[in-house]
Amino acid sequence: MSNLKLGVEVVGAHDLMPKDGEGSASAFVELHFDDQKFRTTTKEKDLNPVWNEKFYFTIADPSKLPSLALDACVYHYNSKNNNPKIFLGKVRLTETSFVPLSDAVVLHYPLEKKITFSRVKGELGLKVFVTEDPSVRSTNVFPDQKPSMDSDQHSNKDQPPVSLTDSFLNMFSRKKNVPKHSFHSIPGSNQEEHKSSPPVAAKMDVDHVKHGMKSGPPQKIMHAYADSLSPFDYALKETSPSLGGGQVIGGRVIRGNKPSSTYDLVEPMRYLFVRVTRARDLPSKTGSLNPYVQVKAGNFKGTTKHLEKNQEPEWNEVFAFSRDNLQSTTLEVEVKDKGTILDETVGTVRFVLHDVPTRVPPDSPLAPEWYQIEKSGKKKKGELMLAVWFGTQADEAFPDAWHSDTLFPGGNSSVSHHQMRSKVYHSPRLWYVRVRVIEAQDLILSEKSQMSDAYVKVQTGNQILKTKPVQSRTKNMRWDQELMFVAAEPFDEPLILSIENRIGPNKDETIGAVVIPLTKVEKRADDRIIRTRWYNLEQSMSSAMDGEQGKMNDVFSSRIHLSVCLDGGYHVFDESTYHSSDLRPTSRQLWKKPIGVLELGILNVDGLHPMKARDGRGTSDAYCVAKYGRKWVRTRTLSNTLDPKYNEQYTWEVFDPATVLTVGVFDNGQVNGPDNKDLLIGKVRVRISTLETGRVYTNSYPLLMLHPSGVKKMGELHLAIRFSCYSMVDLMQLYFKPHLPKMHYKRPLNVMEQEMLRQQAVNVVASRLSRAEPPLRKEVVEYMSDTHSHLWSMRRSKANFYRLMTVFSGFLSVGRWLGEVSTWNHPMTTVLVHILFVMLVCFPELIMPTMFLYVFVIGMWNWRFRPRCPPHMNTRLSYTDGVTPDELDEEFDTFPSTKNPDVVRWRYDRLRSVAGRVQSVVGDLATQGERVQALVSWRDPRASSMFMAFCFVSAIVLYITPFQMPILMGGFYFMRHPMFRSKVPAAPVNFYRRLPALTDSML
């Protein structure tokens, strides 16, 4: 029997004809050769599908090969039509295309029509070859059945990945006006096909067609924007996982037969829950007992706290064991006595896991029961109250439970599970404290000192500000200066004011002090005037702390005149103003009702970069933190794994769509010791306004970190996000309302003051959240809040410059186009512009409608390339691909610098050169503006007199001539033919360039 086979690799197609009525098509390819038919998978909603699938036809009689032909027909699948196969084109290949494998290359064949009047366009990429390899088995023929939509979405864990080169070729081989999509390959490797037997291969192929929807899909690479230039490995990936609500495909949830669940944005995870409540009548040989309970399931052990000398202890602790990791069919709950040297077993309760009931919320919690303990197979005195059940992460006991997946097999609970468990935090409500220091009277100085430079120092918590020093020969001082601080509820720290007198270099003397509790300070939500008040000063700080106000009726005591209030009409920024997660004012009375709900499912992290070494190999103890508004959430820490699966879901109320959700990934340093810092792995930002209402976004976000060696991918974070609004009308109206509270416009804060207050707010929030259990450490809060984003960076400066150039590139393009029109580079275009120009001048009422219509056409044209996924970190936009090592080293340097003085001097010289160029550009811009001012300022009397004469004549001419005439003349003069142009600049340009500027008056 001949081993000759015809191999066909269907690579992809591009620029197909849209057939679904929505500008797209769901394409698949049918291959016909010698009464054999194969079918590829279906690529839904893609005019540029990529398959990369191989098929092998059996050549029964090699002598007939020259007379045989291969037909590759491309169809669109339409499930709503009686005939689901809609013809898109075909390719017919004959014997000239059947070459050996070594000579075969991928060729793109234009699609042919089926009949004369068919509408067909596009090309199909095929690689056709003949092989005699005996290890290659023919592909099993599929029955003629309807193709499975998204049948390419089967699991790709056992499939070979596409090479990076092939992916780039697939991505850049398409037309420029088509959104860039790249897909991983779907078929298995040839080696696996060679090794599998025919029955097994047939079963796998049939299961792939029939049950393609049941397994995880390949990841589709999608850029957030059509013009995104991020590297391939740093691109956003769209996934279609099977979650609690069903499988997510293209943002829609295919529920199937799954019951509805409140945790519908995460994959259900099964856990064995054990609640240890209390014990009674425990036996003891010595009369005293230090009991604790050890719960053992397979290789995992969880331990309660031990209670000293207590024979009826109460623990009320919950243990959760992941069912996927259970390696035993029994559960053992042992009561032990804590000994000095050796712990003794008091008794044991055993459960067979097959008999454990399953609880599904919203069922009521399982009631605990009393179980008699036994030892060595004999019943003993004493009972233990337990509740054992199977559940999921939707269970109420899940957040506070001890988790087996937070420890590695063989470990124990010696590390406090409080440092590893999930937690929901609420950052404190922040207020601005406005202190106006007006004056002081009857200041009492010491005998050896005299009044020199006196100032007022104001302190609350760790925040210290000082007024400007003033000099006075009398005992009365006046400052009239306003200072602002940030305070958090509850107001634990008072406001401390002290008047300091500088009696020598670095030597100050306290003249008087006063302590004002913030709980007694008046609050306001608008800009009404706050009543000022006189406060009596104490001679020392200790006496001020002891007595609040001193002697109220002592007319001879020193006094200070103050105006103090808590401003609740502002929003206190604790994040960057460009990606803030909350814009509400502090005062609750000013809050509006929420407009929607944001739901976040933190699924898992893939391919984490090892952050530490344990047992001779790299590993990580990772957890995630999400922040939106005042609510922070922290997932449980999963230890000793580089692919942690969390599957935790959280919900926030949304008050403004112009806000940003931030999700960060960190390595828990408390596993190795309480004083270690948590390491930063990466973060993701998602702006709420970029999310469509009701759509489920399931994407894999690359975790990118900038290191001194450059940008590095630390892993991929898989998220499921859904934004739901209560009223679309209210949401649309919000776009036309002020972005910030009213006080930011009535009494605005300057940029420097706002940035200083933001730093104070971050420190206050970090201090409060570090008190929680487990603490949210300072480095985590600062990283999530972008505390150091204001520091100088050469990379950021270049990135912002290129951003500015990109913004103005559109105007520059219009200017270049007008230049081409005026120079008649394209005569037909220039003639059409003349006609349009004359029409608009003669009918000026058409100018505005034409402009708006033009903008509408541009916007609707760009609608085809709108982003399908939320934006993500862009390395090209951040200018991380062009930054030098020295610039990165400068960015990661501390402030103040710790580098060698020679390095600092060289960097300072470089900064001077860069600033010099910026200075020149700013000076040139100022010069152009000053020349315009010189027209009427008579700095150059001759130029001003000529300009005045020109204006007078122009006014008279314009009064007596129609409005359209000077405009037409000016337009025709601008678009005059090159034969009427001079090679030197025009007279108006020469006149403008001769005007004087103020550069002659600068030193």
Side-chain angles (χ1 to χ4, degrees), residues 430 432 486 570-578 580 582-583 739-741 744 749 754-755 757-762:
L430 302 178
Y432 281 146
V486 175
Y570 292 92
H571 168 69
V572 181
F573 285 99
D574 58 346
E575 303 166 288
S576 174
T577 54
Y578 299 109
S580 179
D582 190 11
L583 299 171
H739 187 63
L740 296 173
H744 285 273
L749 305 174
Q754 187 169 285
E755 184 62 28
L757 293 172
R758 187 176 79 88
Q759 299 297 323
Q760 296 179 6
V762 172

Side-chain angles (χ1 to χ4, degrees), residues 75-236:
Y75 294 97
H76 161 68
Y77 176 72
N78 185 5
S79 59
K80 301 179 181 179
N81 199 340
N82 295 329
N83 183 17
K85 292 166 46 175
I86 300 178
F87 184 76
L88 295 179
K90 71 173 183 176
V91 172
R92 186 178 182 87
L93 302 179
T94 57
E95 62 165 333
T96 55
S97 302
F98 305 154
V99 297
L101 178 60
S102 57
D103 297 331
V105 294
V106 177
L107 295 177
H108 288 80
Y109 302 92
L111 294 176
E112 301 173 359
K113 299 179 179 180
K114 194 172 185 179
I115 57 177
T116 305
F117 300 102
S118 298
R119 294 186 60 193
V120 170
K121 70 173 183 175
E123 295 179 347
L124 177 64
L126 298 174
K127 181 179 180 181
V128 183
F129 54 90
V130 177
T131 179
E132 290 184 331
D133 190 349
S135 61
V136 176
R137 299 183 180 274
S138 300
T139 310
N140 292 76
V141 181
F142 293 165
D144 194 6
Q145 56 186 354
K146 71 174 183 178
S148 173
M149 293 303 296
D150 279 344
S151 56
D152 57 315
Q153 298 177 354
H154 62 289
S155 177
N156 62 347
K157 294 182 180 179
D158 300 329
Q159 310 296 346
V162 179
S163 67
L164 190 60
T165 306
D166 293 340
S167 301
F168 272 115
L169 291 175
N170 292 334
M171 183 169 57
F172 291 111
S173 63
R174 300 172 187 153
K175 292 191 176 182
K176 294 183 179 180
N177 61 345
V178 179
K180 302 175 182 178
H181 300 77
S182 299
F183 297 83
H184 287 293
S185 66
I186 290 144
S189 63
N190 294 337
Q191 296 177 357
E192 294 176 353
E193 294 179 357
H194 301 166
K195 295 178 182 179
S196 60
S197 60
V200 176
K203 184 179 184 303
M204 291 175 60
D205 289 335
V206 174
D207 288 344
H208 158 65
V209 174
K210 294 183 178 180
H211 308 291
M213 297 284 288
K214 295 185 179 180
S215 56
Q219 295 176 337
K220 181 170 63 173
I221 309 299
M222 297 191 68
H223 289 290
Y225 294 96
D227 58 348
S228 178
L229 297 175
S230 289
F232 181 83
D233 194 37
Y234 300 157
L236 191 68

Side-chain angles (χ1 to χ4, degrees), residues 280-332:
R280 66 185 180 187
D281 300 333
L282 294 178
S284 175
K285 296 180 180 179
T286 61
S288 63
L289 194 67
N290 302 323
Y292 69 93
V293 175
Q294 184 181 81
V295 183
K296 181 179 179 181
N299 294 330
F300 295 95
K301 296 178 183 179
T303 306
T304 67
K305 60 181 180 293
H306 78 278
L307 304 177
E308 296 184 357
K309 298 180 179 180
N310 193 336
Q311 289 184 296
E312 294 190 0
E314 184 171 345
W315 295 282
N316 197 24
E317 296 185 22
V318 181
F319 299 86
F321 298 88
S322 177
R323 190 167 185 177
D324 296 337
N325 297 331
L326 290 181
Q327 300 175 353
S328 175
T329 59
T330 60
L331 171 71
E332 295 184 359

Side-chain angles (χ1 to χ4, degrees), residues 769-950:
L769 295 182
S770 63
R771 304 179 189 176
E773 186 67 37
L776 207 57
R777 299 179 63 85
K778 183 179 180 180
E779 58 269 18
V780 174
V781 177
E782 290 181 346
Y783 180 65
M784 297 286 288
S785 303
D786 273 349
T787 306
H788 304 295
S789 61
H790 66 288
L791 297 179
W792 158 260
S793 168
M794 183 70 74
R795 176 189 61 83
R796 288 197 189 97
S797 300
K798 291 181 179 179
N800 290 331
F801 172 77
Y802 288 121
R803 287 174 56 201
L804 188 64
M805 293 301 296
T806 303
V807 170
F808 285 101
S809 63
F811 299 100
L812 297 177
S813 300
V814 173
R816 286 192 296 268
W817 180 78
L818 290 175
E820 294 177 356
V821 169
S822 62
T823 55
W824 291 72
N825 288 349
H826 304 284
M828 183 59 67
T829 302
T830 305
V831 171
L832 294 177
V833 171
H834 275 78
I835 297 174
L836 179 63
F837 176 71
V838 172
M839 183 186 307
L840 294 180
V841 172
C842 295
F843 303 98
E845 63 273 10
L846 297 179
I847 295 177
M848 295 302 294
T850 303
M851 292 177 57
F852 282 109
L853 181 61
Y854 182 69
V855 174
F856 171 78
V857 171
I858 293 177
M860 295 308 297
W861 177 264
N862 292 336
W863 178 82
R864 301 170 53 202
F865 316 112
R866 66 192 185 280
R868 303 290 182 174
C869 295
H872 62 287
M873 303 295 182
N874 192 317
T875 55
R876 180 64 58 84
L877 183 66
S878 304
Y879 200 68
T880 57
D881 53 350
V883 65
T884 63
D886 183 73
E887 291 173 352
L888 285 175
D889 183 66
E890 180 184 17
E891 183 171 350
F892 283 92
D893 192 11
T894 58
F895 186 85
S897 178
T898 57
K899 295 295 181 181
N900 188 304
D902 294 335
V903 176
V904 176
R905 186 180 298 108
W906 181 83
R907 289 176 178 173
Y908 173 68
D909 292 338
R910 181 181 63 184
L911 181 61
R912 289 178 62 188
S913 65
V914 174
R917 290 192 290 269
V918 175
Q919 172 183 290
S920 300
V921 173
V922 174
D924 291 340
L925 293 176
T927 297
Q928 307 308 320
E930 290 169 353
R931 285 174 175 171
V932 175
Q933 294 178 347
L935 290 171
V936 293
S937 64
W938 294 87
R939 194 175 301 121
D940 185 341
R942 284 171 294 276
S944 296
S945 60
M946 287 188 288
F947 182 70
M948 294 300 105
F950 171 77

Side-chain angles (χ1 to χ4, degrees), residues 717-761:
L717 175 62
H718 293 252
L719 300 177
I721 305 173
R722 177 171 58 205
F723 169 61
S724 305
C725 72
Y726 298 142
S727 172
M728 185 60 68
V729 175
D730 294 342
L731 179 61
M732 294 298 184
Q733 289 179 350
L734 202 59
Y735 277 84
F736 301 95
K737 294 183 178 179
H739 187 63
L740 296 173
K742 188 184 299 183
M743 281 293 291
H744 285 273
Y745 306 100
K746 299 184 70 173
R747 294 191 63 178
L749 305 174
N750 59 58
V751 177
M752 296 298 296
E753 189 175 23
Q754 187 169 285
E755 184 62 28
M756 181 196 68
L757 293 172
R758 187 176 79 88
Q759 299 297 323
Q760 296 179 6

